[in-house]
Amino acid sequence: MFIWPTLRHQAQVCAGSIKDFQHAERRIRRASRGEEVVAGLVETHGRKGITELAARLEMVPRRRLNYKGADFEEMDVDAILARKPQVALVDELAHTNIEGSKHRKRYDDVLELLNANIDVLSTVNVQHIESLTPWCNRSRASRCERPFPTGSFKESNEIVLVDLTPEALQTRMRRGDIYPVERAERALDNFFRPANLISLRELALQQVARAVDRSLESYWQKEGVAPHAAVRERFGVCISSNPAAQYLVARAARMAQRIDAELYVIYVDIGRDESPEDQRTLAQNIRFAEGLGAQLLRAKGNNVAEEVAKVVRDKHITQVVFGRSAQSNWRKYLYLPLSHKFLRDAPAVDVHIVTQEVK
């Protein structure tokens, strides 16, 4: 149900299961083989087993920060750099640091360690992967506010799946292995519902499968035995200034990832997104798409369908994704025919029309 990576340029996907225990255990095995391994930051959450394992590692003292009158502790990046170990253990890759920290996000802390030639083993929950957060926000009781850039997975040397069945995870919850017993039932009624856990497990397995495919392709290329294959697929997804476009982009990103296709976002400027609010949401949509590894293709004209068709033809895009309900009120009646008009002018491509939430 969850993934977790190891080694230089890593990312890991897991939820509140056994990942923290296995993470610490894995680091101890490496330390026993003579590697210099330090714990840059280990989140024990008061769990006895993890606390006992973490105590067997050299701990780098955390940095204390005061924010709005309260004291917090964050990972001390400079202290780890000064210690310069071979390997640093860093939990919760998607964590947002307290204001006043060296970097806003913990994965930026990790990048600095990697640039200093320090290998990093880290963990991340599957629901915090950026391309999956729109789905999580629609299906979960609480929103995912700490996205981890999907593209960073491609930089990982190794991704390890920490897999636990929903039933086993719920049993651990009821025993008090994850949260205190008094909190367990409330958690089981919210995030840890069977439907959520099964869905997250499926998403994590898909992420691992894609990582395995990339590893196999890299091996073929390295050994010069890659089989002849067709031209790589290219996905194009049409966006606007509507905030709902992020859900559409995330859907297209997942579709592209499943077949290791390139992803492009297409924006056609027809002079309707000139207000400050539209420009702001458009910029947010573009940043979100680029965070998923998409390339932006801009066009300008009076006819959206014709301009999209030109872009698709010029960039040799093989599959196009449209949103079915990209606009609310009267505009939605103008949007659906766009796919029909596009098919009239476009080259031979596959077209996907997906349901898109109206916001």
Side-chain angles (χ1 to χ4, degrees):
M1 104 170 36
F2 313 101
I3 309 170
W4 74 289
T6 56
L7 231 92
R8 182 174 170 78
H9 291 131
Q10 295 163 347
Q12 161 183 9
V13 190
C14 309
S17 59
I18 58 174
K19 75 159 165 48
D20 298 314
F21 186 88
Q22 291 194 7
H23 194 207
E25 195 174 48
R26 191 182 183 98
R27 304 304 71 68
I28 290 170
R29 289 199 301 270
R30 293 188 64 158
S32 69
R33 295 197 294 265
E35 291 185 90
E36 276 192 309
V37 181
V38 304
L41 189 138
V42 176
E43 298 287 5
T44 66
H45 301 290
R47 296 164 192 160
K48 182 179 178 182
I50 301 171
T51 301
E52 291 174 350
L53 282 176
R56 295 165 59 185
L57 290 168
E58 177 186 342
M59 307 288 289
V60 176
R62 302 187 187 189
R63 182 185 178 196
R64 294 181 179 274
L65 295 168
N66 186 278
Y67 179 65
K68 294 184 177 180
D71 291 327
F72 296 89
E73 291 184 342
E74 292 287 6
M75 184 172 74
D76 193 331
V77 181
D78 290 334
I80 299 174
L81 291 171
R83 172 64 179 78
K84 200 166 178 56
Q86 290 176 280
V87 183
L89 170 62
V90 179
D91 262 341
E92 306 296 348
L93 198 57
H95 172 76
T96 299
N97 294 326
I98 292 296
E99 188 172 316
S101 299
K102 189 172 186 179
H103 300 291
R104 180 173 177 270
K105 285 287 192 175
R106 187 164 292 163
Y107 57 76
D108 290 323
D109 295 334
V110 166
L111 287 176
E112 185 170 357
L113 298 179
L114 294 173
N115 289 333
N117 293 317
I118 298 173
D119 287 352
V120 175
L121 298 114
S122 189
T123 64
V124 63
N125 293 346
V126 66
Q127 66 268 24
H128 293 152
I129 299 174
E130 190 170 31
S131 63
L132 304 180
T133 52
W135 177 89
C136 293
N137 289 340
R138 296 177 70 214
S139 61
R140 285 184 51 194
S142 58
R143 295 182 63 83
C144 304
E145 301 291 354
R146 302 183 300 168
F148 170 76
T150 307
S152 297
F153 271 101
K154 296 182 180 179
E155 300 180 1
S156 302
N157 283 5
E158 183 181 346
I159 295 178
V160 179
L161 175 67
V162 178
D163 191 21
L164 197 63
T165 67
E167 294 78 10
L169 182 54
Q170 289 176 318
T171 297
R172 289 175 57 81
M173 288 284 299
R174 294 188 177 96
R175 281 205 311 253
D177 293 343
I178 298 174
Y179 295 136
V181 175
E182 60 272 17
R183 291 176 54 195
E185 287 304 322
R186 184 173 60 184
L188 288 168
D189 289 337
N190 290 281
F191 177 78
F192 289 87
R193 297 192 307 272
N196 273 358
L197 298 178
I198 292 170
S199 297
L200 288 170
R201 190 184 195 197
E202 179 183 10
L203 292 172
L205 289 168
Q206 290 173 356
Q207 291 288 330
V208 171
R210 286 192 286 273
V212 171
D213 288 342
R214 288 195 298 269
S215 296
L216 181 58
E217 183 177 330
S218 296
Y219 173 79
W220 280 339
Q221 292 175 350
K222 180 180 178 181
E223 298 298 321
V225 295
H228 294 291
V231 176
R232 190 179 186 187
E233 295 281 345
R234 294 183 174 186
F235 271 74
V237 54
C238 301
I239 66 168
S240 67
S241 61
N242 192 305
Q246 292 189 18
Y247 173 75
L248 182 62
V249 171
R251 281 287 303 274
R254 293 200 299 276
M255 294 165 69
Q257 287 171 358
R258 289 190 185 107
I259 59 174
D260 195 27
E262 297 178 11
L263 178 63
Y264 297 86
V265 290
I266 304 170
Y267 172 69
V268 179
D269 182 2
I270 57 174
R272 290 184 179 174
D273 293 324
E274 296 180 352
S275 70
E277 177 63 19
D278 285 341
Q279 287 294 308
R280 183 183 65 82
T281 55
L282 176 61
Q284 289 176 344
N285 292 345
I286 292 172
R287 283 196 299 271
F288 178 80
E290 291 176 338
L292 299 185
Q295 298 181 51
L296 174 64
L297 300 176
R298 286 181 178 267
K300 190 170 185 177
N302 298 319
N303 188 305
V304 175
E306 289 180 2
E307 295 303 323
V308 171
K310 289 178 184 177
V311 170
V312 168
R313 188 179 294 105
D314 292 343
K315 295 298 181 179
H316 307 292
I317 290 172
T318 60
Q319 304 197 42
V320 182
V321 180
F322 291 101
R324 189 175 60 141
S325 302
Q327 300 287 352
S328 58
N329 58 56
W330 60 271
R331 290 186 178 181
K332 66 183 178 181
Y333 297 107
L334 299 180
Y335 195 82
L336 185 59
L338 171 59
S339 59
H340 298 162
K341 295 175 182 177
F342 167 79
L343 287 172
R344 182 187 61 199
D345 300 321
V349 295
D350 293 338
V351 174
H352 306 268
I353 302 176
V354 302
T355 300
Q356 182 179 359
E357 281 191 333
V358 177
K359 294 189 178 182

